[in-house]
């Protein structure tokens, strides 16, 4: 039985902790804040409750596997999962709207044809077919295996872009999300639909490789799921599973250094001067040089040591949590995306405020989110530049941008401004304070292509005994990806460096 110290109590950390405990190890989790869950938070006030992290679960199979492998009760016995249908409603800049059914390719094609004209659905369906090919080509090395030493095999984009011949000019193939939209989808509303998927994960459509097509493919193929009680209920179930497996949690415990002995990780040192020895350390937070002073975690040639062309500061999330008077109207959609302008990309990825942001409006039909049926809790979410390039502590700026976000959301919620009782604003500044992520940034999932520029540091490090999990490590950000990272780290510790993932 090995002693294992886990730094952070996010979903990736708890996924690793539960699996390691089941394997017979003694696991202690050290969390700087007062609670578990990381970015999967919950805000409550006067009977209203809101998720402050991801609003939906995609690829639930990741957590089904976790609960099967760590106890007798399945995921569905611990939380109530519901497929939201329609999966999303979209309001485009020209006022056209379309509702996309959940996990129904034929339904999506038909809805797009009806809303955008004959042929639109066919082009989107053909794009998803190509995205499915990319999924089949890259799924295992990108998501189900630890990052390979020869990670360069993921440098080639798996998306089979259409080769387009042009008169008197060289043929061209889309290499980015924006180029897929312009050259393959051709309709600016279909392009906006694809851009919206990328933006929701903090990806710049102009520079993100074409392999980001996996994001809409995963959502439209495997569905969008809501957890009754909010996504916080999933974090709570995972925490309870860890406790049942005798994982220990120490809250309010900030790790300031990972200790080393005889050339390997040997424990952690806390801000209060206390220290704890360990045989293995799992860092499930954003890596910082001060945690491993003098240690060479990556060398030239490792993916984490490479410059990332075309990638600036990682964006964060701006939330407006609205307590509303009045009942949720019949037929209201769980998630509506109100698409912004093309100038939004320049602003978000240039460290500025967008005048017309893309706003996701989340309206769960869940009694636990509201005091009674005469009220409604609504969450508005926009991808924004991180804290630093933008001063998100500026009260006037926060208020102005919140008003902009609410204005956009009026396209999704009837009489929105007249119904507001209270608005709570959360910005990347709060994310940074809560999670310790620099600038309040939210990590994107790993992507193949672009010579590996969009990959994350591998789960192994150059310091024996130190492993990386969570959104800042392979295979990247998002609830499903974080759960995958926990499984990969547990496999490496239990089975050794020969572990190649579950089959």
């Amino acid at each position: 039985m090995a002693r294992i110290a886990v730094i952070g109590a996010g979903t990736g950390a708890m996924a690793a902790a539960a699996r390691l405990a089941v394997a017979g190890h003694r696991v202690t989790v050290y969390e700087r804040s007062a609670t578990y869950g990381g970015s999967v938070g919950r805000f409550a006030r006067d009977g209203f409750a809101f998720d402050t992290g991801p609003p939906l679960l995609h690829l639930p199979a990741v957590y089904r596997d976790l609960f099967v492998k760590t106890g007798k009760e399945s995921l569905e016995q611990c939380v109530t999962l519901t497929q939201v249908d329609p999966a999303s409603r979209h309001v485009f800049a020209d006022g056209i709207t379309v509702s996309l059914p959940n996990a129904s390719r034929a339904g999506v094609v038909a809805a797009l044809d009806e809303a955008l004209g004959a042929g639109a659905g066919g082009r989107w369906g053909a794009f998803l077919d190509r995205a499915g090919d990319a999924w089949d080509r890259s799924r295992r090395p990108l998501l189900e295996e630890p990052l390979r030493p020869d990670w360069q095999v993921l440098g080639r984009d798996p998306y089979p872009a259409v080769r387009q011949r042009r008169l008197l000019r060289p043929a061209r193939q889309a290499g980015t999300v924006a180029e897929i939209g312009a050259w393959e989808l051709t309709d600016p509303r279909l392009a906006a639909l694809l851009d919206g998927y990328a933006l929701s994960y903090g990806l710049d459509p102009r520079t993100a490789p074409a392999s980001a097509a996996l994001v809409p493919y995963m959502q439209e193929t495997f569905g969008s799921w809501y957890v009754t009680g909010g996504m916080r209920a999933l974090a709570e179930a995972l925490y309870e599973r860890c406790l049942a497996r005798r994982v220990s949690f120490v809250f309010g415990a900030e790790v300031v250094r990972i200790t080393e002995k005889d050339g390997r990780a040997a424990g952690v040192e806390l801000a209060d001067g206390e220290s704890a020895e360990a045989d293995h350390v799992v860092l499930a937070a954003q890596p910082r040089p001060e945690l491993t002073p003098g240690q060479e975690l990556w060398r030239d040639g490792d993916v984490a040591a490479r410059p990332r062309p075309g990638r600036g500061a990682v964006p964060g999330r701006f939330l407006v949590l609205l307590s509303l008077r009045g009942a949720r109207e019949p037929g209201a959609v769980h998630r509506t995306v109100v698409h912004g302008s093309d100038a939004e990309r320049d602003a978000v990825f240039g460290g500025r405020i967008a005048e017309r942001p893309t706003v996701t409006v989340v309206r769960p039909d869940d009694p636990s989110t509201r005091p009674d049926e005469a009220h409604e809790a609504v969450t508005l979410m926009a991808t924004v530049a991180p804290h630093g390039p933008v001063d998100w502590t500026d009260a006037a700026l926060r208020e102005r941008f919140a008003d902009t976000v609410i204005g956009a959301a009026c396209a999704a919620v009837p009489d929105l401004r007249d119904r507001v009782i209270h608005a709570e604003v959360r910005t990347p500044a709060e994310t940074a304070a809560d999670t310790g992520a620099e600038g309040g940034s939210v990590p994107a999932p790993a992507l193949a292509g672009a010579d590996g520029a969009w990959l994350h540091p591998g789960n192994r490090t150059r310091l024996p005994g130190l492993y990386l999990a969570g959104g800042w490590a392979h295979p990247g950000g998002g609830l499903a990806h974080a759960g995958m990272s926990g499984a990969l780290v547990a496999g490496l510790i239990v089975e050794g460096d020969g572990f190649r993932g579950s089959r």
Side-chain angles (χ1 to χ4, degrees):
M1 178 176 68
R3 299 164 301 173
I4 298 174
V6 179
I7 304 171
T11 51
M14 291 193 290
R19 291 177 182 271
L20 288 166
V22 165
H25 299 299
R26 191 170 70 200
V27 184
T28 303
V29 176
Y30 298 91
E31 167 57 45
R32 67 193 294 272
S33 72
T35 188
Y36 53 86
S39 63
V40 185
R42 190 82 161 162
F43 176 82
R45 173 174 177 171
D46 299 334
F48 294 91
F50 309 84
D51 280 326
T52 59
L56 293 170
L57 176 64
H58 306 290
L59 278 181
V62 172
Y63 289 92
R64 289 191 177 112
D65 179 73
L66 171 62
F67 277 77
V68 165
K69 299 287 178 57
T70 60
K72 294 181 180 180
E73 298 84 9
S74 68
L75 175 63
E76 277 81 355
Q77 288 175 297
C78 297
V79 298
T80 301
L81 285 176
T82 305
Q83 278 192 300
V84 298
D85 202 6
S88 57
R89 177 172 176 257
H90 295 264
V91 180
F92 298 110
D94 61 1
I96 296 293
T97 66
V98 60
S99 292
L100 303 182
N102 200 342
S104 170
R105 178 76 61 84
V108 168
V109 168
L112 290 172
D113 274 341
E114 182 178 355
L116 306 183
R123 289 195 298 277
W124 184 259
F127 155 71
L128 287 182
D129 287 339
R130 293 189 292 275
D133 289 343
W135 169 264
D136 292 337
R137 294 176 183 181
S138 61
R139 172 179 57 85
R140 182 156 183 81
L142 184 66
L143 301 176
E144 298 177 355
E145 296 180 348
L147 189 64
R148 297 163 52 165
D150 61 339
W151 54 265
Q152 290 85 351
V153 299
L154 290 170
R156 183 175 180 179
D157 200 313
Y159 178 79
V162 176
R163 183 174 175 83
Q164 299 179 327
R165 299 185 182 278
R166 299 185 296 169
L167 184 64
L168 303 179
R169 289 182 291 173
R172 67 185 181 185
Q173 287 179 282
T176 66
V177 169
E179 289 172 349
I180 291 175
W183 301 348
E184 295 183 3
L185 298 176
T186 67
D187 188 312
R189 293 158 302 188
L190 291 179
L193 177 61
L194 178 57
D195 283 2
Y197 280 107
L199 281 169
S200 69
Y201 280 90
L203 299 168
D204 185 345
R206 301 167 302 179
T207 58
S211 65
L214 267 63
V215 172
Y217 174 81
M218 287 190 295
Q219 292 192 22
E220 295 196 16
T221 301
F222 303 110
S224 298
W225 301 75
Y226 177 70
V227 180
T228 300
M231 297 308 298
R232 180 68 179 177
L234 176 63
E236 181 177 346
L238 185 49
Y239 174 67
E240 294 292 340
R241 178 56 53 90
C242 285
L243 294 180
R245 300 283 77 83
R246 300 185 185 279
V247 174
S248 298
F249 286 80
V250 184
F251 295 108
E254 182 177 5
V255 174
V256 295
R257 190 167 70 92
I258 297 168
T259 58
E260 177 266 337
K261 183 178 180 181
D262 298 330
R264 63 174 290 117
V268 297
E269 182 179 312
L270 306 180
D272 62 6
E274 294 290 324
S275 60
E277 295 182 349
D279 301 297
H280 303 280
V281 177
V282 178
L283 175 57
Q286 189 174 24
R288 304 191 308 273
E290 59 267 27
L291 287 175
T292 54
Q295 295 296 334
E296 188 179 34
L297 297 186
W298 298 288
R299 298 173 186 160
D300 290 343
D302 290 349
V303 65
R306 300 177 69 246
R308 306 298 176 89
R311 297 185 64 178
V314 180
R317 301 288 183 268
F318 186 98
L319 303 179
V320 183
L321 313 178
L322 296 176
S323 303
L324 303 183
R325 62 177 62 86
R328 184 179 188 270
E329 74 275 10
V333 175
H334 185 105
R335 177 178 58 169
T336 299
V337 181
V338 182
H339 293 271
S341 67
D342 288 343
E344 175 185 16
R345 299 174 295 187
D346 290 327
V348 171
F349 299 97
R352 303 189 305 278
I353 301 293
E355 294 183 4
R356 290 182 56 196
T358 295
V359 175
T360 298
V361 182
V362 181
R363 307 177 67 189
D365 188 10
D366 182 350
S368 72
T369 66
R370 54 188 182 248
D372 53 49
E373 294 302 312
H375 295 84
E376 183 183 9
V378 173
T379 299
L380 313 181
M381 181 183 304
T383 298
V384 295
H387 183 53
V390 173
D391 180 8
W392 287 115
T393 63
D394 183 323
L397 183 150
R398 291 160 63 101
E399 184 176 350
R400 286 197 306 272
F401 192 67
D403 187 68
T404 297
V405 169
I406 292 171
C410 288
V413 184
D415 305 317
L416 177 59
R417 290 191 184 277
D418 294 337
R419 297 174 58 195
V420 175
I421 300 171
H422 181 265
E424 175 75 17
V425 174
R426 293 181 62 86
T427 76
E430 282 76 32
T431 303
D434 291 346
T435 69
E438 184 178 355
S441 295
V442 178
L447 301 173
D451 295 324
W454 295 84
L455 298 174
H456 290 264
N459 308 107
R460 305 178 187 88
T461 71
R462 294 281 180 170
L463 179 63
L466 175 61
Y467 300 86
L468 304 183
W472 296 101
H474 177 76
L479 274 176
H481 292 73
M484 293 175 194
S485 78
L488 294 176
V489 165
L492 286 168
I493 292 175
V494 173
E495 299 186 25
D497 286 345
F499 173 72
R500 299 303 302 164
S502 58
R503 293 185 183 274

